[in-house]
Amino acid sequence: MLDTAPLQDAYRALLDAAATVADADDPAPPRGEWNADQILAHVSLIGAATIAAVAGIAAGANTTYDNRVALDAWTIERTIAHAGGNAGLRYRISGQAAALCALAGGAALSDAELSTLAPARLLSNDTLLVDQPMSLRDIVTGLAEAELPGHTKQLLALLPTRPTAEATQSVNLS
């Protein structure tokens, strides 16, 4: 059995950050980085790939886990359009979180299924991170421990910087 509470928490934090960024004034990314919609589309594609891996293993199918399609610019833009933009992406990710937690947790999968190895290829910024079989448990745990928190930080980095109290105070005193 897999405890999906960390996964639920990671999705909640990501969606909270996405809502905060959506409400911010002009959250423009640094040059060469993704904007909020692109980050959310990527997360949505990763969520769909993870759901497919979980469902495939539950169905007894040969399963692989590969994030390269979630890095493709054309696919990301198409996902944004299909979801209807930021609000649609957040709604989609919320549904994927519920589905993934339902499939991966509880009695949906046996320990043997969670231990099933799937060939995995994971890239980040054109750097190969993983090119070896991973257990389904490690795939889902990695999503909760690294992938989602990393994109939560990436979203929050889009927020405009606020003047510090010291800078505000010196402005008021002059």
Side-chain angles (χ1 to χ4, degrees):
M1 186 155 35
L2 181 68
D3 178 14
T4 59
L7 184 61
Q8 292 170 347
D9 292 344
Y11 268 115
R12 188 175 306 109
L14 178 112
L15 291 168
D16 287 348
T20 299
V21 170
D23 292 339
D25 293 331
D26 193 27
R31 186 177 186 93
E33 297 290 323
W34 285 339
N35 65 31
D37 289 358
Q38 291 166 324
I39 294 166
L40 294 175
H42 168 78
V43 169
S44 173
L45 290 163
I46 291 293
T50 307
I51 291 167
V54 170
I57 288 173
N62 288 328
T63 301
T64 62
Y65 190 70
D66 188 335
N67 75 340
R68 287 177 293 177
V69 73
L71 300 170
D72 177 67
W74 183 86
T75 304
I76 287 171
E77 294 305 320
R78 185 171 179 221
T79 301
I80 294 167
H82 284 181
N86 192 285
L89 287 164
R90 286 183 281 138
Y91 182 74
R92 179 179 287 196
I93 291 167
S94 177
Q96 288 174 333
L100 187 54
C101 288
L103 286 170
L109 294 173
S110 69
D111 191 53
E113 289 166 317
L114 288 167
S115 297
T116 299
L117 296 177
R121 178 164 291 149
L122 305 175
L123 283 80
S124 178
N125 292 322
D126 295 326
T127 301
L128 182 64
L129 301 177
V130 174
D131 189 13
Q132 65 185 27
M134 289 179 67
S135 72
L136 184 59
R137 177 181 287 105
D138 288 343
I139 291 169
V140 174
T141 300
L143 189 64
E145 293 178 355
E147 181 76 15
L148 295 174
H151 290 304
T152 299
K153 289 176 187 168
Q154 189 180 16
L155 283 165
L156 292 173
L158 296 174
L159 291 172
T161 56
R162 309 241 188 284
T164 63
E166 186 177 296
T168 305
Q169 188 175 28
S170 67
V171 170
N172 291 338
L173 295 176
S174 1

